[in-house]
Amino acid sequence: MANLLEVKNLTKKYYAGTVENKAVDSVNLKVEEGEFVIIMGASGSGKTSLLHLVAGIDDFDEGMIMYAPSSNKAVDFGHMNETAKAMFRSTNIGIVFQQQCLIPDLTVYENIMLPIMLSGKRKERAGKKETIINLCGQFGLKEHIKKYPSQLSGGQQQRAAILRSVINRPPLLLCDEPTGSLNSAQSNIVMELLNRLNRIGQTIILVTHDVKVAVRGSRVIYIEDGRVAGELKFTDEHRSMNQREEELMNFLQQRGW
């Protein structure tokens, strides 16, 4: 598989008075098309900072972020100006946060349609109506399509937020603790949605503290003090979740988890 994303020597500095600290410290990372990469680490380790840099939400101090969507020529995303970066992100990167960030005055349907409405592409808007209805049917939201976010559970809101983030079919989906505010049952439903999207080709990078969430990925990157401190790849797709969880716990405990 071709690399969709390549991060080289990425560094993000911040200062406490005159003392320099590094939230992200010389990180190198490659993500192939179709991968489901999990980023783990203790609180304050730099995992969310890394995700925000990859998303172009924050600026970095050193290094490079290269994207090659759909096997096209690689794009130096990190050094684009803010306007070009926003345009690239709108069609190539979907983002899901811990808080669902749905627009309270829009229905589920309108929230999912929002990226297309903002693009100003009327023909796409007309063509996506059936797609949205079908997606909502597949992921348990069809009967809620005309409801507002306040009428939904947290898990239903997060499913709507995920569908909104992928409605434009971005090559990469970034998720920052998407199950962090959900109970275990809602978390399982959200992760099943992400797994189903991954099985049909969606590349995903997901930050989490939750071992039961992390075992749903194909590879775990462990971040410590802003650096990549280890990597675990689940090589046997047929292993049970309990076996994966045991393998992951051994990996994490070796790193002081």
Side-chain angles (χ1 to χ4, degrees):
M1 285 262 183
N3 287 328
L4 173 62
L5 168 70
E6 185 171 1
V7 171
K8 298 180 180 179
N9 299 317
L10 197 65
T11 299
K12 172 67 176 179
K13 302 174 183 177
Y14 66 94
Y15 295 86
T18 58
V19 178
E20 179 186 280
N21 297 285
K22 294 179 179 178
V24 175
D25 188 1
S26 304
V27 167
N28 292 286
L29 176 66
K30 294 180 180 180
V31 177
E32 292 183 354
E33 293 177 346
E35 273 200 285
F36 193 156
V37 176
I38 304 292
I39 299 177
M40 299 190 77
S43 295
S45 60
K47 54 190 182 300
T48 293
S49 296
L50 174 59
L51 197 76
H52 286 186
L53 295 178
V54 170
I57 296 172
D58 292 334
D59 294 325
F60 55 87
D61 295 290
E62 299 171 11
M64 186 175 292
I65 301 171
M66 304 293 293
Y67 279 104
S70 304
S71 301
N72 290 332
K73 185 178 179 181
V75 173
D76 186 355
F77 176 70
H79 291 100
M80 290 179 177
N81 63 45
E82 290 304 313
T83 300
K85 192 178 291 185
M87 290 180 63
F88 182 86
R89 183 168 51 228
S90 69
T91 55
N92 291 282
I93 306 172
I95 306 173
V96 179
F97 298 100
Q98 180 174 339
Q99 301 302 320
Q100 294 80 15
C101 302
L102 298 175
I103 307 300
D105 295 330
L106 298 181
T107 64
V108 167
Y109 174 83
E110 291 166 341
N111 266 285
I112 297 172
M113 179 65 83
L114 188 61
I116 298 167
M117 294 168 65
L118 293 175
S119 73
K121 298 177 180 177
R122 294 185 178 182
K123 289 184 179 180
E124 277 201 32
R125 181 176 176 181
K128 289 291 186 181
K129 182 176 181 178
E130 186 175 347
T131 300
I132 292 174
I133 293 172
N134 288 338
L135 284 171
C136 286
Q138 291 176 45
F139 298 112
L141 292 173
K142 191 170 185 178
E143 63 186 58
H144 306 294
I145 200 166
K146 294 183 179 180
K147 292 182 180 179
Y148 293 92
S150 62
Q151 298 173 296
L152 305 179
S153 70
Q156 289 165 343
Q157 289 184 43
Q158 193 62 292
R159 276 179 274 163
I162 292 169
L163 293 183
R164 179 183 61 185
S165 71
V166 298
I167 192 61
N168 274 336
R169 299 179 67 105
L172 180 63
L173 177 61
L174 304 176
C175 302
D176 188 7
E177 295 277 6
T179 63
S181 61
L182 306 179
N183 62 34
S184 59
Q186 293 172 333
S187 176
N188 284 335
I189 293 171
V190 167
M191 289 310 300
E192 180 56 32
L193 166 54
L194 291 174
N195 279 134
R196 288 174 67 178
L197 290 170
N198 179 244
R199 285 194 291 270
I200 60 174
Q202 179 67 63
T203 308
I204 302 173
I205 303 176
L206 183 149
V207 166
T208 186
H209 284 97
D210 191 334
V211 170
K212 292 188 181 300
V213 169
V215 294
R216 301 279 200 137
S218 55
R219 180 162 58 116
V220 177
I221 305 294
Y222 188 78
I223 302 292
E224 184 176 14
D225 297 329
R227 287 180 168 269
V228 175
E231 177 179 326
L232 172 66
K233 188 167 185 177
F234 296 111
T235 55
D236 187 352
E237 295 181 1
H238 301 292
R239 299 192 74 189
S240 70
M241 288 300 171
N242 286 338
Q243 290 172 319
R244 280 180 167 232
E245 189 171 331
E246 182 179 352
E247 183 180 3
L248 177 57
M249 284 305 302
N250 288 335
F251 168 81
L252 293 173
Q253 288 168 0
Q254 290 171 12
R255 285 151 185 82
W257 178 264

